[in-house]
Amino acid sequence: MSGISAYDVIVVGAGSMGMSAGYHLAARGLRTLLIDAFDPPHTGGSHHGEPRLIRHVYHGGGHYVRLALRADALWRELESLTGQRLLERSGVLNVSDPCAYAFDGRFADADREGVLYESLDAAEIARRWPGWRVPAHYRGLYEPDAGYLFSERCVAAYRSLALAEGAELLTDTAVLGIGAQGGGLTVSTSRGDYAAGRVIVSAGAWFKSLAPSVDIPVQAVRKVVGWFEADERLYGAGRLPGFTFGGPGGGYYGFPSIDGAGVKIGRHDGGRPWQPGERLEPFGAYPEDESDLRAALREFLPGADGRLVRGAVCKYELSPDEQFIVDEHPSLPGVLLAGGFSGHGFKFASAIGEALAEWTASGTPPADLLPFSLSRFPSATAASTP
Ligand SMILES: Cc1cc2nc3c(=O)[nH]c(=O)nc-3n(C[C@H](O)[C@H](O)[C@H](O)COP(=O)(O)OP(=O)(O)OC[C@H]3O[C@@H](n4cnc5c(N)ncnc54)[C@H](O)[C@@H]3O)c2cc1C
């Protein structure tokens, strides 16, 4: 091996999770190398097409609520360290058909952690936000302290802080595999090999490209979002909160029109599977890219069903149960895997990065990451080979 250089930690994939981890590692004094196949933030992965919702009343367990609250505090810290506006506390309104999904399962954890929320009926939703058209039996859950994050700015902010703390960043460099050698770890890339004591793999939609050295059950999915011209008096920022809504026709999420950009809407369920190396079809390649989003607007936010201003294509990286995977590699000690963020991970990136850095530095997993263990997929622990 020529040109080998030793680091305390190498981060494979410097996107949402990896760039945050890079900052938290370097801030702890660890000699850190970040490697990315692109030049983050970029438009090839899962973090572009900002903004991203941040909510704290969560389904799935108290660990999500605690991580969301910690992440929120760390986003505010990132704002103060960089002097940038990254988080807009617009409030988030979640609307649902209780026959398809009820919010009740979220309340106990939110109450325990002291998160503010209001439970609303359809009439109250229409009174507060007249741009909404909600069937009479639907319910709303409103979080006044929730909002949205400018995700590309967040990745750029962590990048500048990580570099300022002494981390090194290799852009446009694809990692090809990871192996153990001579008591350490070797990361093979398109530019040569690098050695480190520990490795964090946060490869987003590309985990499959790292098999067989890393083999976890993550399926990337093509997702579209659109921005639609809307009546700014009803749907502009400051008038409409961020939102999610779900019923028998599917689950959607979106944002008010920010600086006249149009109401942004995306669909959470569905999408076409994508494999690393395949062409990613642009927005509009399939008629349903626009028609599906427009139909949802027409039904629930009728004054936002205007001209399509722009569309974008992004990738979800789904785990089988749509819960995160954060665990040590089953057969490569010292390699941490962080993936399967399943379309709801960005809000947590600041806290996941911090937790990965803590785990790397201490050798012990933080308690709130334990539910994300790979052991819930027995075939994955058997399949991953060094
Ligand atoms: C349309 C859309 C809307 C979303 N909305 C929300 C939302 O409202 N709220 C929310 O919380 N979350 C949301 N998400 C989910 C969230 O954005 C993702 O969960 C999160 O960005 C995933 O972070 P990541 O670090 O795993 O992936 P990324 O940010 O994509 O980072 C992975 C990085 O790894 C690099 N990489 C991969 N393989 C290699 C390799 N072999 N060598 C070198 N580098 C490599 C890539 O280049 C990339 O930079 C949304 C996602 C999408 C697509």
Side-chain angles (χ1 to χ4, degrees):
M1 247 173 337
S2 60
I4 206 154
S5 168
Y7 293 88
D8 293 325
V9 197
I10 294 177
V11 179
V12 176
S16 321
M17 308 298 159
M19 199 65 91
S20 161
Y23 161 66
H24 289 289
L25 289 161
R28 280 168 171 70
L30 294 170
R31 191 159 178 242
T32 303
L33 174 65
L34 293 146
I35 307 179
D36 203 281
F38 297 91
D39 191 2
H42 59 80
T43 57
S46 303
H47 55 258
H48 67 285
E50 59 190 16
R52 296 283 186 272
L53 292 175
I54 176 164
R55 305 176 283 107
H56 314 100
V57 180
Y58 231 75
H59 56 282
H63 55 293
Y64 276 114
V65 181
R66 287 187 294 278
L67 277 172
L69 292 171
R70 178 63 189 153
D72 191 295
L74 288 170
W75 293 123
R76 277 180 281 137
E77 182 185 279
L78 185 60
E79 283 187 320
S80 72
L81 288 171
T82 58
Q84 288 184 56
R85 191 81 193 264
L86 303 171
L87 195 172
E88 191 64 51
R89 233 172 263 289
S90 61
V92 171
L93 173 66
N94 305 279
V95 174
S96 141
D97 176 349
C99 305
Y101 179 80
F103 295 119
D104 309 32
R106 303 185 187 184
F107 296 153
D109 289 323
D111 290 339
R112 206 170 295 121
E113 303 300 332
V115 183
L116 286 181
Y117 63 87
E118 294 174 68
S119 192
L120 307 175
D121 63 17
E124 182 61 12
I125 294 169
R127 193 188 67 73
R128 289 199 202 180
W129 300 286
W132 273 94
R133 187 161 66 198
V134 178
H137 68 288
Y138 273 44
R139 298 291 308 177
L141 167 70
Y142 178 62
E143 272 193 76
D145 291 337
Y148 47 83
L149 290 155
F150 294 98
S151 48
E152 290 152 79
R153 274 189 242 167
C154 290
V155 173
Y158 269 135
R159 174 177 172 154
S160 64
L161 283 190
L163 297 184
E165 292 287 350
E168 294 173 44
L169 171 65
L170 263 183
T171 59
D172 305 304
T173 305
V175 169
L176 309 172
I178 300 151
Q181 203 171 354
L185 295 162
T186 304
V187 174
S188 307
T189 80
S190 51
R191 292 176 196 254
D193 292 351
Y194 295 84
R198 292 184 177 268
V199 172
I200 293 172
V201 188
S202 43
W206 285 268
F207 266 93
K208 280 191 176 164
S209 72
L210 293 169
S213 50
V214 175
D215 192 2
I216 60 171
V218 170
Q219 174 61 57
V221 174
R222 174 184 181 270
K223 302 297 291 186
V224 296
V225 289
W227 285 256
F228 292 83
E229 239 169 35
D231 179 344
E232 294 287 328
R233 291 163 305 177
L234 293 176
Y235 302 99
R239 301 203 161 85
L240 189 79
F243 59 85
T244 71
F245 59 90
Y252 296 81
Y253 61 88
F255 305 84
S257 174
I258 301 165
D259 298 330
V263 164
K264 176 185 166 185
I265 181 168
R267 181 169 181 166
H268 185 64
D269 58 316
R272 292 168 188 257
W274 175 86
Q275 311 296 341
E278 269 180 19
R279 177 182 148 82
L280 187 69
E281 297 297 339
F283 186 94
Y286 306 101
E288 66 268 23
D289 286 353
E290 178 177 345
S291 62
D292 183 31
L293 302 179
R294 189 176 283 290
L297 287 173
R298 205 166 277 164
E299 192 175 348
F300 290 91
L301 299 154
D305 170 32
R307 181 178 66 89
L308 174 73
V309 181
R310 77 179 176 106
V313 180
C314 197
K315 293 163 193 152
Y316 275 9
E317 55 297 310
L318 298 178
S319 75
D321 58 5
E322 300 191 17
Q323 309 301 316
F324 307 159
I325 296 171
V326 187
D327 203 350
E328 188 159 24
H329 191 295
S331 50
L332 275 178
V335 177
L336 296 184
L337 310 174
F341 291 99
S342 302
H344 61 115
F346 193 86
K347 64 182 74 60
F348 299 100
S350 53
I352 294 284
E354 179 188 57
L356 288 167
E358 267 172 32
W359 189 342
T360 303
S362 68
T364 309
D368 281 334
L369 296 190
L370 294 177
F372 304 137
S373 159
L374 257 179
S375 62
R376 67 190 198 273
F377 311 116
S379 59
T381 43
S384 279
T385 54

